[in-house]
Amino acid sequence: MSFATPPGWYPDAGTPGTERWWDGTAWTAHTRPPAAVQHEPVRQPYAPQSFGPPVPPPPARGGSRTRVLAIALSGLLVLGAATAAFLLLGPDDSGTRTAPAPSTSDPAPTATASASATPSGEGGPDGDPAVLVDQLNGITLTVPDGWEKAKNTPDDAPTIRTAVSYDCPGTGASFCYRGTVSTRTARAGKTGPKAVAEADITAAADRAYEEDILGQRTHGGITSHKVLKAEPVAVAGRTGYLVRWQVVTAKGPGGVVQSVAFPSEAGSGTPVIVRLAFDADRPELPVSLMDTITRSIRPIGDSATSGGVGASIGP
């Protein structure tokens, strides 16, 4: 028994009001208006549901080119839908659905600060250009107007200095600064602020005006020195000792150097040394500025501690 649709004229679904010839196997290019066959009953192609494929619908107007475009468009739509489903659901290898990625329009989560987070340097003394901080020894001191905190030093000591440099008179090829102040931990061997300060003043003078850390005699070397002051002093609320020298150099005006030693509040209380060196005969660098800087020394986090040059010394 044959279930094929017999040849004949059938309504063209792609062109309403037109019939197209079915040759029993495929649609042909022959069409006609329905009025030409009013005496013939209108028949529908037989399309069995279970014994064979249905008869394809007549091609739409435009011929094979339109049909190719329609098929291509349908394929793209199916591919796009499959791709979107894959991206949203993810591969199903594990049997679980992957959660979709968050939308870019969703608000970003707000970061919550940890209770143990370290405060930013900008909010503390480290971020203040007017304050020098020595974290190791637990002290701060004030940076005078027209001075700066040095970012790098040969001995890695926290240092402030005058902002403008000049050619060293002894070499002409190195940079010198009119004033410098640095802090450091005392070396082992000496105990007590007085012994530490008296031992350090020679090193302070040599580093500033005799020979720098690179071995250059930036001022031609020291020819003589004179002790200007040597006395106990209160620094950051503690009893310390101060020694101050005036030095004469082979080249240049020479200068004034000072070593101040006092017990640290950090760690085991190892003495802290603050070295100061000012070129002589500079109106912007009076010796009294050394006293002002020494008075500004404070423990970290304690801006109210009294002390400094001129403060009373306890027993």
Side-chain angles (χ1 to χ4, degrees):
M1 181 181 296
S2 175
F3 294 98
T5 300
W9 295 97
Y10 297 97
D12 189 344
T15 309
T18 303
E19 292 180 341
R20 186 175 297 275
W21 180 256
W22 172 259
D23 64 3
T25 305
W27 293 103
T28 69
H30 303 289
T31 61
R32 73 177 185 181
V37 290
Q38 291 180 357
H39 61 280
E40 295 182 9
V42 177
R43 294 174 294 173
Q44 297 294 333
Y46 177 74
Q49 298 181 356
S50 58
F51 300 95
V55 175
R61 180 178 295 178
S64 59
R65 180 176 181 182
T66 303
R67 181 166 48 200
V68 171
L69 290 175
I71 294 173
L73 179 59
S74 300
L76 289 175
L77 291 175
V78 173
L79 178 60
T83 302
F86 179 85
L87 293 177
L88 289 174
L89 302 179
D92 197 26
D93 296 339
S94 62
T96 59
R97 178 174 297 183
T98 303
S103 170
T104 55
S105 62
D106 293 338
T110 303
T112 302
S114 170
S116 60
T118 302
S120 170
E122 294 181 357
D126 276 333
D128 188 348
V131 178
L132 177 69
V133 179
D134 182 344
Q135 293 283 359
L136 179 62
N137 292 299
I139 61 169
T140 67
L141 58 85
T142 300
V143 180
D145 292 339
W147 289 51
E148 65 181 8
K149 292 191 285 188
K151 295 181 179 179
N152 298 292
T153 59
D155 54 2
D156 294 327
T159 301
I160 60 174
R161 62 196 181 195
T162 48
V164 179
S165 63
Y166 66 99
D167 293 335
C168 300
T171 62
S174 300
F175 295 105
C176 286
Y177 294 87
R178 300 293 184 187
T180 61
V181 179
S182 61
T183 66
R184 65 199 67 234
T185 304
R187 294 183 179 181
K190 297 293 182 180
T191 59
K194 183 176 186 294
V196 171
E198 289 177 340
D200 186 72
I201 188 65
T202 300
D206 287 348
R207 180 59 52 83
Y209 293 103
E210 176 64 32
E211 186 177 274
D212 66 14
I213 198 170
L214 300 177
Q216 301 179 101
R217 304 190 77 187
T218 54
H219 294 265
I222 297 173
T223 59
S224 64
H225 78 274
K226 179 173 67 174
V227 178
L228 299 179
K229 184 181 289 189
E231 61 186 22
V233 63
V235 183
R238 296 211 165 187
T239 301
Y241 201 84
L242 178 153
V243 180
R244 183 181 295 166
W245 284 4
Q246 181 175 4
V247 299
V248 179
T249 57
K251 295 183 179 181
V256 177
V257 294
Q258 175 178 295
S259 290
V260 181
F262 55 95
S264 170
E265 290 193 0
S268 60
T270 302
V272 183
I273 298 171
V274 178
R275 290 180 182 173
L276 303 90
F278 290 3
D279 282 0
D281 302 327
R282 302 295 304 182
E284 73 276 19
L285 296 174
V287 175
S288 62
L289 181 58
M290 289 188 169
D291 296 337
T292 301
I293 294 173
T294 304
R295 280 193 294 267
S296 76
I297 300 172
R298 297 287 186 272
I300 291 179
D302 184 3
S303 61
T305 298
S306 61
V309 176
S312 60
I313 304 298

